[in-house]
Amino acid sequence: MLQVVLNVPSDLDHLKRGLKQLSAFLPSELTGRITATWSEQPGLTAAAHTEGYQLQFNRACELFRGIGLIAAGSVLPDGSMAQQLPFRSLGVMYDCSRNSVPTVATVKQILSRMALMGYNVLMLYTEDTYTLASRPEFGHYRGRYSPTELKEIDDFAWQLGIEMIPCIQTLAHLERFLRWQSTDSLRDNQHILLSENAAVYSLIDEMITSVSSCVRSRRIHLGLDEAHGLGLGRYLEQNGYRRPEKIMQTHLEAVGQICSRHALKPMMWGDMIFRMNIAGAGYYDQDVVLPAGTGDIIPKSYDVVYWDYYHTEEAFYEKYIDEHLKQGIKPLFAAGVCSWIGMVPNLVRTAATTRSSVQAALKKQLDDMFLCVWKDDGGEGLPGPDFLGMMMYAEYCYNQGQQDLPAWRRQAPVMTGASYDSFMAVGSIDEIQEGLSLAGLEAPNPHKYFLWQDILLGQFDCEAATGDYAAVYTRKAGELAALLSAGEYQPEALYGLRLGYLLCRLLAYKVDLGVRLKSAYDSGDQVKLAELRELIAGEYPQRIRELRDWHRDSWFHFYKPFGWEIADLKYNHLLGRAETACYRLDAYLRGEISQIDELAQDRLTSVGRVPAGPVNLPHFNNFLNAATVGQI
């Protein structure tokens, strides 16, 4: 067993408890001795000696990263290494608001992995998944965290030298709370609070004090992004028309005063100042030039976060950082693991976007860097593969934006729990055409819509017909099966690896199923239709159930139970429509109906066009609209 002797000032004694917690995430076969000593000298250095390793560090994140590097074999027996984090903050923002709310045990696992990578900040993004004493409906049935749970997480993070910053919403993105009839008087529209309303500011005060009282940090992220339709709902009825930016300015001042009363330093997403100056309220425009004084809408007490998860060109990030700087705003920066696209992340895209953004941030000498792990449209994915995206970002930040694949391969088993090749295989499932992951502003996510689309309606059949994707998914399933057999992973990593395998195994059957049905129907090939009917009744639903059962076991292992009911709806949609497809095919093959109207329909592309010329694989991230064009 690896032994660590820690020499630190008394005010860092809590890190000794963190070392004990972290030991569970280090390979049990590791032996030897690390003598770790705090130093006033910035950075970490590690060197091998006959009696073990000497590790010198200044910040807690460097201590734990140094242990991770030594455990991974990145410090050779006769060698040494030195690194320094060039940023004040290196953090992760983890989405806990899209149904998949991590249990306390899972958050501790996330924190432990972060520590080994060298992070020093965690934000749990909680729209309504924390507790308000005066509002029992807030986060009800949503897996909200209790104050006791948040305090336990903060204590664990503190032992690892990680600052736990609350991350909430204080204007928009509150539709799950505002759905309750009891919130009518608080609502501007279905997802925005009513600005300039005394009851709303009393609510926001409680929001801020509830979460900030559970943590040691005096920083707080207030959200305040994407307030589309601000002032055009109940506010308009009560106050008449007022320009949205004026409403926002008043709101920011009021919420800032609340933070000031509680001695808190607020931060907010910074897209607003761009949306005010881009047609259609967009966020990204290479040619945008913010007028002088645009940034004055944001009180000086706020830190501003420039978020950009999409661009692969360093020059774009530099342009947008410069636009902030011209407004007198030195932004914090937030990149993203491409994890919001469905059941598996796109780590090919993640590697490209994060590298460019880190290189730009280094050039512009930013101080605070964050990595968002969003879980849009139901939080279908699992934590494991995301860890590799988190490791990529940390490696870029500690290594001046440079990519070192041999080092990544050494470090992934210790820092993520699986080999680099294993999690990268899951993170490249959407790479079904060479270079597809880097196409467009949003990475195409074919696994999402090919999985959930209806086999009779064929909304994405034109896209499915652009290649032999059944063969591609069969190959990917085989690669993942081989990696699973190799066993190069810790037990917790099995969940995400096997989920990727079962997803590919299902898609190998399903991706062109609608195409084959339509082809056989159009050609009048009843023999082929009968064969497909047997597949739809037999092997196809069996593979759906295999994926669902593993996904369900994984969900209840990592997440609170609330939210799985949506996954049940999704899987039951697939199973129910398979039964209906058999019902319709049986009636047609027996001669009870003269045609199958669903299959008789001409196929349009997913954007609603008659196919003409090349058909591109899109980014499409909404289950409901992938499953049906009908109304629910």
Side-chain angles (χ1 to χ4, degrees):
M1 182 178 178
L2 190 65
Q3 180 185 8
V4 181
V5 177
L6 185 58
N7 302 312
V8 293
S10 59
D11 62 334
L12 295 178
D13 272 346
H14 59 280
L15 300 180
K16 296 177 181 177
R17 281 174 272 166
L19 283 174
K20 291 181 181 179
Q21 302 284 4
L22 206 59
S23 62
F25 293 88
L26 296 173
S28 57
E29 65 273 15
L30 283 177
T31 59
R33 176 188 177 98
I34 300 173
T35 302
T37 304
W38 179 83
S39 169
E40 293 182 354
Q41 183 70 27
L44 73 91
T45 59
H49 295 281
T50 54
E51 69 276 14
Y53 295 91
Q54 296 288 333
L55 174 62
Q56 182 175 294
F57 68 96
N58 176 256
R59 294 198 274 177
C61 59
E62 296 163 345
L63 163 66
F64 295 112
R65 176 172 172 80
I67 292 171
L69 292 172
I70 292 170
S74 287
V75 182
L76 298 177
D78 58 349
S80 63
M81 56 84 65
Q83 290 184 348
Q84 183 174 347
L85 179 64
F87 304 107
R88 176 178 56 192
S89 300
L90 178 60
V92 169
M93 189 233 70
Y94 206 92
D95 190 349
C96 304
S97 295
R98 295 332 200 283
N99 295 346
S100 54
V101 178
T103 64
V104 171
T106 298
V107 177
K108 289 180 178 180
Q109 181 183 159
I110 293 168
L111 283 162
S112 298
R113 296 291 177 202
M114 288 173 56
L116 288 169
M117 297 173 197
Y119 284 91
N120 60 9
V121 172
L122 173 66
M123 291 188 277
L124 297 180
Y125 176 74
T126 50
E127 292 175 353
D128 66 329
T129 47
Y130 58 97
T131 301
L132 296 182
S134 73
R135 306 295 310 202
E137 75 274 47
F138 190 84
H140 196 54
Y141 305 127
R142 292 265 291 142
R144 64 189 170 203
Y145 291 108
S146 69
T148 299
E149 288 177 315
L150 289 178
K151 290 174 183 177
E152 182 179 350
I153 291 169
D154 184 64
D155 285 344
F156 191 89
W158 177 64
Q159 292 170 16
L160 295 173
I162 294 175
E163 179 185 6
M164 175 82 168
I165 301 177
C167 185
I168 63 175
Q169 287 288 357
T170 53
L171 183 59
H173 287 292
L174 289 168
E175 55 271 11
R176 303 325 303 155
F177 168 55
L178 296 175
R179 67 174 292 281
W180 295 96
Q181 187 176 348
S182 57
T183 67
D184 280 354
S185 63
L186 304 173
R187 187 189 305 140
D188 186 356
N189 63 31
Q190 62 185 4
H191 70 104
I192 298 178
L193 292 172
L194 181 60
S195 297
E196 301 170 33
N197 177 279
V200 165
Y201 291 115
S202 177
L203 171 70
I204 292 173
D205 192 308
E206 184 180 4
M207 290 174 166
I208 290 171
T209 55
S210 292
V211 291
S212 63
S213 66
C214 297
V215 300
R216 293 168 173 82
S217 177
R218 293 296 85 195
R219 293 197 281 177
I220 185 168
H221 197 318
L222 300 173
L224 295 160
D225 60 314
E226 299 180 327
H228 305 302
L230 177 64
L232 300 179
R234 182 166 286 128
Y235 182 95
L236 181 65
E237 296 173 1
Q238 294 183 357
N239 303 288
Y241 180 74
R242 190 181 182 207
R243 291 183 63 83
E245 58 267 30
K246 295 297 184 182
I247 301 174
M248 176 63 87
Q249 187 170 21
T250 301
H251 186 75
L252 291 177
E253 290 170 354
V255 178
Q257 289 170 7
I258 294 172
C259 290
S260 179
R261 287 201 302 272
H262 299 294
L264 295 168
K265 175 66 173 176
M267 67 179 79
M268 61 177 288
W269 303 115
D271 51 294
M272 171 187 61
I273 57 175
F274 288 87
R275 295 184 189 280
M276 290 161 46
N277 294 281
I278 295 176
Y283 186 15
Y284 303 115
D285 182 347
Q286 179 66 52
D287 299 320
V288 69
V289 176
L290 298 183
T294 300
D296 294 345
I297 192 173
I298 301 175
K300 298 302 181 184
S301 61
Y302 284 80
D303 282 332
V304 176
V305 183
Y306 161 35
W307 56 273
D308 191 337
Y309 324 129
Y310 308 110
H311 291 92
T312 57
E313 313 85 15
E314 183 181 336
F316 189 94
Y317 295 103
E318 291 183 26
K319 153 76 175 176
Y320 260 50
I321 293 170
D322 283 341
E323 288 298 322
H324 285 86
L325 294 174
K326 290 174 186 177
Q327 299 298 322
I329 297 169
K330 187 175 187 180
L332 293 69
F333 180 77
V337 176
C338 191
S339 56
W340 58 88
I341 59 172
M343 203 171 289
V344 293
N346 190 318
L347 297 179
V348 178
R349 182 64 173 237
T350 300
T353 58
T354 53
R355 183 179 188 179
S356 296
S357 65
V358 170
Q359 289 172 334
L362 287 166
K363 281 186 181 179
K364 300 299 179 180
Q365 298 182 314
L366 299 189
D367 297 323
D368 300 274
M369 302 289 284
F370 298 96
L371 183 71
C372 297
V373 185
W374 294 109
K375 297 290 181 180
D376 295 18
D377 199 46
E380 295 171 357
L382 301 178
D386 297 335
F387 291 151
L388 183 56
M390 291 161 56
M391 191 194 83
M392 290 174 178
Y393 193 61
E395 293 307 307
Y396 286 142
C397 287
Y398 276 94
N399 293 286
Q400 304 301 310
Q402 299 307 304
Q403 186 180 77
D404 185 348
L405 278 178
W408 290 12
R409 291 182 186 279
R410 282 195 307 271
Q411 290 157 205
V414 170
M415 294 183 177
T416 74
S419 70
Y420 172 85
D421 289 341
S422 295
F423 274 152
M424 198 63 195
V426 175
S428 58
I429 285 175
D430 275 331
E431 185 75 354
I432 60 174
Q433 295 175 357
E434 186 176 354
L436 180 64
S437 298
L438 303 181
L441 184 63
E442 286 255 38
N445 56 336
H447 86 270
K448 175 87 173 190
Y449 44 83
F450 287 156
L451 173 62
W452 300 122
Q453 81 149 333
D454 189 289
I455 59 174
L456 283 179
L457 302 181
Q459 188 180 347
F460 292 88
D461 280 357
C462 290
E463 286 77 8
T466 60
D468 187 1
Y469 301 129
V472 174
Y473 286 122
T474 298
R475 173 176 56 79
K476 288 179 178 287
E479 291 169 353
L480 280 162
L483 289 163
L484 283 164
S485 297
E488 296 178 353
Y489 52 83
Q490 296 174 21
E492 291 292 293
L494 173 63
Y495 292 94
L497 295 174
R498 184 164 170 78
L499 187 74
Y501 161 70
L502 292 171
L503 172 64
C504 289
R505 192 168 179 272
L506 172 56
L507 287 173
Y509 258 60
K510 184 179 189 288
V511 62
D512 63 352
L513 186 51
V515 175
R516 287 183 284 159
L517 279 170
K518 174 67 171 168
S519 176
Y521 179 81
D522 286 348
S523 63
D525 189 342
Q526 296 206 2
V527 173
K528 177 59 71 174
L529 284 175
E531 291 175 357
L532 291 170
R533 187 261 179 225
E534 292 309 306
L535 187 154
I536 295 169
E539 182 68 17
Y540 173 58
Q542 178 60 32
R543 294 194 179 199
I544 294 172
R545 292 189 183 96
E546 287 178 355
L547 177 63
R548 178 202 62 192
D549 291 351
W550 185 259
H551 196 182
R552 183 170 56 196
D553 287 347
S554 302
W555 182 287
F556 284 91
H557 179 78
F558 289 110
Y559 303 131
K560 297 189 176 188
F562 305 98
W564 180 256
E565 70 277 6
I566 304 301
D568 270 337
L569 290 173
K570 293 178 177 181
Y571 283 111
N572 289 336
H573 152 72
L574 293 183
L575 293 167
R577 290 299 289 167
E579 291 180 1
T580 297
C582 291
Y583 170 80
R584 296 287 284 158
L585 286 165
D586 287 343
Y588 179 69
L589 294 171
R590 288 195 298 258
E592 296 170 3
I593 56 176
S594 60
Q595 68 175 22
I596 301 176
D597 291 347
E598 302 95 319
L599 294 179
Q601 294 283 308
D602 292 333
R603 294 304 188 237
L604 303 179
T605 67
S606 60
V607 297
R609 297 286 184 265
V610 175
V615 175
N616 296 320
L617 298 181
H619 172 89
F620 196 101
N621 200 31
N622 183 280
F623 159 77
L624 187 59
N625 289 332
T628 180
V629 296
Q631 184 176 4
I632 294 181

